[in-house]
């Protein structure tokens, strides 16, 4: 309800990857920022007011990482966990999807990211960006040692994230209006 289509591109994907690589070298705690949520059903369902682009990119990042690790596991490398366990943790547990994009990107996101399929016939700029992000991260991860990929996954799993939960549409609308004002946007009637 609060979000726009996926819009990150290569510059932001590269910045995220470079930042995480730097963090694993320094053994620092990684902070992914603030996420603003409207609570629909506590501990079950939330609407993301601010942070969807970051969460979507992080989810694409994890899909690409697990894709490359699964390829390596098939050729005998040890990774120390079941890919399906991580998929349940990050993408879908039973029928419960962990992240849903705007409605017109759902089929693409579900196919490429949630279900991990190799291809999807895209029909919009945002779907192209979802597909391109996955391709970018897969290619970058294929260049890395398995040990580096496992360190990246550990870093993500230990990432610091601050969430602010709002109850109800009224509080969420006020916070969104405040965020738009902060960004210099004007509200129109």
């Amino acid at each position: 309800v609060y979000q726009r289509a996926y819009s990150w591109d290569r510059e932001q994907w590269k910045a995220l990857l470079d930042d995480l690589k730097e963090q694993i070298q320094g053994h620092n705690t990684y902070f992914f920022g603030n996420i603003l949520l409207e609570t629909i059903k506590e501990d079950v369902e939330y609407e993301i007011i601010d942070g969807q682009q970051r969460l979507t990119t992080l989810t694409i990042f994890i899909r690409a990482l697990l894709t490359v690790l699964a390829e390596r596991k098939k050729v005998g490398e040890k990774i120390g966990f079941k890919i399906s366990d991580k998929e349940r943790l990050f993408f879908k547990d039973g029928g419960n999807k962990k992240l849903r994009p705007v409605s017109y990107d759902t089929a693409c996101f579900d196919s490429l990211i949630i279900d991990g399929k190799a291809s999807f016939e895209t029909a919009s700029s945002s779907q192209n960006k979802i597909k391109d992000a996955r391709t970018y991260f897969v290619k970058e991860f294929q260049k890395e040692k398995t040990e580096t990929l496992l360190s990246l996954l550990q870093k993500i799993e230990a990432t610091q994230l601050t969430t602010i939960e709002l109850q109800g549409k009224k509080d969420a609308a006020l916070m969104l209006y405040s965020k738009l004002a902060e960004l210099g946007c004007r509200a129109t009637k």
Side-chain angles (χ1 to χ4, degrees), residues 96-109:
N96 181 29
K97 295 175 191 170
K98 305 295 179 118
L99 183 67
R100 285 178 279 144
V102 294
S103 61
Y104 46 86
D105 286 342
T106 300
C108 174
F109 189 80

Side-chain angles (χ1 to χ4, degrees), residues 63 67 71 74 108-122 130-132 134-135 138:
R63 168 49 71 200
T67 297
E71 289 169 1
K74 282 181 185 176
C108 174
F109 189 80
D110 286 359
S111 181
L112 293 174
I113 309 307
I114 302 294
D115 297 332
K117 294 185 178 161
S119 65
F120 182 84
E121 189 69 34
T122 58
I130 290 167
K131 187 176 183 178
D132 292 348
R134 180 182 162 165
T135 300
V138 165

Side-chain angles (χ1 to χ4, degrees), residues 73-105:
K73 190 173 186 176
K74 282 181 185 176
V75 297
E77 287 193 51
K78 302 257 189 260
I79 61 169
F81 58 83
K82 289 182 183 178
I83 297 292
S84 60
D85 289 344
K86 297 298 182 184
E87 289 176 329
R88 274 192 302 282
L89 177 66
F90 291 111
F91 308 121
K92 182 170 68 172
D93 190 3
N96 181 29
K97 295 175 191 170
K98 305 295 179 118
L99 183 67
R100 285 178 279 144
V102 294
S103 61
Y104 46 86
D105 286 342

